[in-house]
Amino acid sequence: MRHFSRRTLAVVSTVVCAVGVAGLVAYAAYAALRPKPTQLSAAGGIENDTIVVNTMESTRLHVSVLDQRGRLLPRDTAVQFRLISGDITLSPTGETTCSRRVDAVVQAAFARVERPFVLHCRPVVSLESPSWIDLLVGDRPHELSFVAHGPDGAPVTELRGTETVENGSVAGLVGTAVRARRPGMTFVHVVVGNRTTSIPVQVYQIVTSFVGNAPNVRLMALRVRLARGDTIVMPVPKAAFWVKYFSNDPGGIPPTIELRGKGSCTTGDGMHVKRIEAGQYAKYCLAYDGTTLMIAHGGVGADIVNGTVAMELEWQ
């Protein structure tokens, strides 16, 4: 350095200082932007302060760790818990067992961030669902219908779980409702706690007659609109099939639906009776040559019966 001129030394000193200041600025920016835990959140968003447990088996409570920008940090497994009030057992890592309906308050903590949460133990031992969901392409989404039962047999209304569609090309989920996409059959799988139910979803092809269609058309639907006293009689294939009715009007009552000729219908297929939703009609039928289907609206009741008669062929 002693061989440098004063001017050279001044330039070098300026450069060194500039580099040092830039380094400090960069470090300060990094420190300001570095993800730091600032919030704890239960499922459903930062405003939710309630944890719901639907399983009777030992489970670990889960809360998310968020940084200053509201982003999830992969540190949720390090959250510590303690019981504030309630008749439950709770480990520091959040292990608990909800064998009955009970409420508690727990404190969750990570680093210097703490937050109390209300814990609702709502164990589910069974899920009851309809035997199927019938849909038409273009119709409004159909709300999923199932009932969860607790250990005492009473319905459980506070639920946390998942809903998935097995074949997304046939139907898809819109929130908690299912919408038809194309004719065919798939399943909606509902998981609550450690209980699962699978609901068949049948999407019907609109037809003008139940006979004369292509052999691969096994889910058929015919729209009907009947005034008081109206009757429709139509041929049906020689086959075993489910015949169903679902109304286009909420609370609509099914018309009279009967087989005429060589054929008969029952409420089940010989193995079990199907569970259907209120206001719907479903019968399992055997029809032979010359059998017809009568759909009639009586002289009392609603002015108009407006709905869909559907047929699910099992064999011909």
Side-chain angles (χ1 to χ4, degrees):
M1 293 288 291
R2 64 171 179 247
H3 297 293
F4 291 160
S5 65
R6 291 184 178 181
R7 181 174 181 177
T8 301
L9 288 174
V11 172
V12 171
S13 299
T14 302
V15 171
V16 170
C17 289
V19 171
V21 171
L24 290 174
V25 170
Y27 178 81
Y30 167 76
L33 296 177
R34 182 180 58 188
K36 294 177 290 186
T38 58
Q39 301 177 89
L40 299 176
S41 172
I46 189 62
E47 296 181 358
N48 181 35
D49 63 354
T50 302
I51 301 172
V52 178
V53 175
N54 293 127
T55 179
M56 293 186 66
E57 298 180 353
S58 177
T59 188
R60 185 182 181 279
L61 302 184
H62 173 78
V63 297
S64 299
V65 181
L66 307 178
D67 68 7
Q68 67 271 33
R69 295 186 177 183
R71 298 172 299 189
L72 287 174
L73 296 177
R75 304 177 186 176
D76 56 312
T77 56
V79 175
Q80 296 290 294
F81 294 86
R82 68 180 179 89
L83 182 64
I84 297 177
S85 65
D87 186 16
I88 65 168
T89 59
L90 180 68
S91 75
T93 57
E95 294 288 338
T96 189
T97 301
C98 287
S99 58
R100 58 190 174 86
R101 180 187 179 97
V102 65
D103 295 334
V105 178
V106 302
Q107 181 90 347
F110 178 81
R112 296 183 180 180
V113 183
E114 295 184 346
R115 183 179 180 183
F117 290 92
V118 177
L119 172 62
H120 288 177
C121 283
R122 301 293 186 266
V124 171
V125 299
S126 66
L127 295 174
E128 182 181 358
S129 61
S131 295
W132 59 65
I133 296 175
D134 296 314
L135 301 174
L136 301 175
V137 176
D139 279 3
R140 60 181 179 272
H142 183 96
E143 283 292 333
L144 288 176
S145 174
F146 62 91
V147 179
H149 296 281
D152 57 357
V156 179
T157 57
E158 292 181 80
L159 304 174
R160 298 292 185 272
T162 61
E163 300 163 350
T164 56
V165 177
E166 189 171 293
N167 186 343
S169 67
V170 173
L173 290 173
V174 182
T176 58
V178 57
R179 181 193 293 275
R181 289 178 174 166
R182 68 169 178 83
M185 180 176 176
T186 186
F187 290 86
V188 173
H189 303 295
V190 180
V191 179
V192 177
N194 60 342
R195 303 299 175 184
T196 302
T197 185
S198 296
I199 309 172
V201 176
Q202 295 168 316
V203 180
Y204 292 82
Q205 180 172 323
I206 297 295
V207 297
T208 57
S209 174
F210 289 134
V211 297
N213 299 298
N216 64 332
V217 179
R218 308 191 68 80
L219 296 171
M220 301 175 283
L222 194 150
R223 298 187 186 274
V224 295
R225 184 178 177 86
L226 303 173
R228 289 178 183 171
D230 285 351
T231 299
I232 298 174
V233 178
M234 62 185 68
V236 294
K238 179 183 177 182
F241 54 83
W242 283 94
V243 60
K244 309 172 188 178
Y245 174 85
F246 35 101
S247 177
N248 293 342
D249 302 318
I253 298 176
T256 299
I257 302 175
E258 296 178 354
L259 283 187
R260 294 292 180 87
K262 295 181 179 181
S264 61
C265 297
T266 61
T267 56
D269 58 6
M271 293 181 289
H272 53 273
V273 176
K274 299 289 187 179
R275 296 187 301 271
I276 60 175
E277 297 184 12
Q280 293 189 2
Y281 169 99
K283 292 288 182 68
Y284 186 74
C285 304
L286 291 173
Y288 302 92
D289 288 330
T291 303
T292 58
L293 181 68
M294 182 195 75
I295 308 168
H297 182 20
V300 296
D303 292 337
I304 298 293
V305 167
N306 178 30
T308 302
V309 176
M311 180 176 292
E312 174 195 350
L313 289 178
E314 289 204 349
W315 57 263
Q316 287 181 282

